[in-house]
Amino acid sequence: MPLFRLSSPGPFFDNKVRAFWNLQILGWAAWLGLRGVSGLANGQPLTFLVPQTISAITGFSLSLILAVCYRALISRRPLLMWGVSFGLSGIATALWAFIDAWVAQIQNPNSEAGFTSLLLGAVYIDATSLAAWSALYFAINYFLQLEEQNDRVIRLEAQAASAQLAMLRYQLNPHFLFNTLNSISTLVLLKQTEPANAMLSRLSAFLRYTLANEPTAQVTLAQEIETLKLYLDIEKMRFEERLRPHFAIDPVVARARLPSLLLQPLVENAIKYAVTPQEDGADITISAQLAGQNVRITVSDTGAGLSADRADPTTGLATESTGVGLANIRDRLAQAFGDQHRFDAQRGADGGFTVIIEFPFQPDGQMTIGTERT
C-alpha cells in the first residue's frame, strides 16, 4: 500500500495512521523547503542546507516522540494534559535548540557567535515550529473526535428510528394473528376442516411474506397490494359476501415505495367498524394515484361511519377507540417520511369512513428514511 494515497476516493482521515504519516512527512518537507529557500534567497551557500536538513530530521524525530506522548495525554483531564504537554514541548524545544546550536558551531568553528547566541537564536525558531506542530496535532485530533461523536450520534439516531419502526410493525402482526387463529379455532370446533385448512394455507403465505421482509424495510406499492390481497383472502373466508373489496391502483405508482404492511391496519379497521356491524357488510375501496409529486392512497368504506364515542368532538377524526392501527400508521409515516407526508381520516357526509395518505413518490431503488436519503 503506497504511503501517499492522495487520490484515494475515501475521506482523507479514513485511515488515521496513513493520514498522520502523510501530514508528518509533507509538513516537515515543507518546513525544510521553506527554510532552505529562505536561506538561499538571502545569499547563504549550499552548505547552509546541511544543518537545516539535520534540524528538520531532529524536529521530525522529536515530533514523533511528542505524538506518542500527546496520544496518551489527550484523554486525560485538561489541567494534567496541558501542563504535561507544555512541559514536554519545552524539553523537546531545548533539546532541538541544543542540537541545532551544536551542529552550527561544528560547521562554522570560526564563527564570531558563541554557543549561547546560537542556542538562543535556535530556541525561538524551534519553539515556534514545535508550538505550531503541537497546535495542529491537537486541533486535528479534537476535530476527529468531534466527527466520531457526530457519527456515533447519527448511528444511534438511525438505530433508534429503526427500533421504533420495528416496534410499530410488530404491533400489527400479533393483533392480526390472534384474530385469524381465533377464526381457525372456531372452524375446527365446527368441524369445518376444509375452510380451516384453506385459511391456514393463506395465513402461512401471509406470514411467509412478513417474515421475509425486515420490519423497517420499504416495499413497492405493488408488493403491498399483493400482501393486502392475501390478508383479504383470509378475511373473506370469515365474512364471505359481506366483505366486498375493490382496488383502483394506477400502474404509474405501482413502483412507489412505502413501509411494509402500512395499509393492512386501515383495511382491518374498515372490516371491524364497517363490515362486522352490518348485516349486509360493506364495500372497501383501496385506490392509489399520483397527486403532483406525491402518491395518494385512499382507503374508504361504506359503513355507518364513526359514532360520537369513537370520534374527537372537535375534529371528527378517529380516536384510540379505533385501535392501534391509525396511530400506528401516523407514527410509521412520520418515521419514514418526516414532515413530507399527509394523513387525513374523516367520515363521509353519507356515512362511511375514509383515510387519505400522501407521501413523496420514490420509485423502486430510491429509499428514504425520515428526510434523509439512504
Side-chain angles (χ1 to χ4, degrees), residues 228-284:
L228 194 55
K229 289 179 178 178
L230 276 175
Y231 167 75
L232 285 168
D233 284 344
I234 296 172
E235 296 291 33
K236 275 186 71 68
M237 296 191 68
R238 294 173 55 201
F239 296 98
E240 298 179 341
E241 298 303 320
R242 295 173 60 206
L243 172 58
R244 299 180 294 276
H246 308 280
F247 291 90
I249 309 300
D250 188 341
V252 175
V253 298
R255 293 174 55 241
R257 301 198 69 87
L258 72 164
S260 63
L261 290 182
L262 185 74
L263 304 181
Q264 186 264 344
L266 293 178
V267 176
E268 183 176 356
N269 273 344
I271 293 173
K272 182 177 181 181
Y273 296 111
V275 177
T276 303
Q278 301 188 122
E279 186 176 347
D280 58 348
D283 294 277
I284 300 176

Side-chain angles (χ1 to χ4, degrees), residues 169-178 206-207 210 261 264:
R169 245 292 294 276
Y170 287 141
Q171 286 180 356
L172 302 177
N173 290 340
H175 187 209
F176 163 69
L177 187 60
F178 173 79
F206 181 83
L207 292 179
T210 59
L261 290 182
Q264 186 264 344

Side-chain angles (χ1 to χ4, degrees), residues 88-110:
L88 290 173
S89 180
I91 294 172
T93 298
L95 181 58
W96 190 10
F98 177 85
I99 294 174
D100 282 351
W102 179 60
V103 171
Q105 192 175 51
I106 291 177
Q107 186 183 28
N108 299 298
N110 299 323

Side-chain angles (χ1 to χ4, degrees), residues 13 23 70 74 81-82 85 130-148:
F13 290 104
L23 291 174
Y70 289 167
I74 201 167
M81 181 190 70
W82 292 117
S85 297
L130 278 183
W133 182 92
S134 299
L136 281 173
Y137 180 91
F138 281 107
I140 291 173
N141 276 276
Y142 279 128
F143 168 77
L144 292 177
Q145 286 183 357
L146 183 61
E147 287 293 302
E148 288 177 354

Side-chain angles (χ1 to χ4, degrees), residues 57 78 80 105 111 128 144 150 152 201 225 274 285 308 351 364:
I57 294 173
L80 175 64
Q105 192 175 51
S111 175
T128 54
L144 292 177
N150 289 337
R152 193 178 303 114
S201 298
I225 294 300
T285 302
D364 192 9

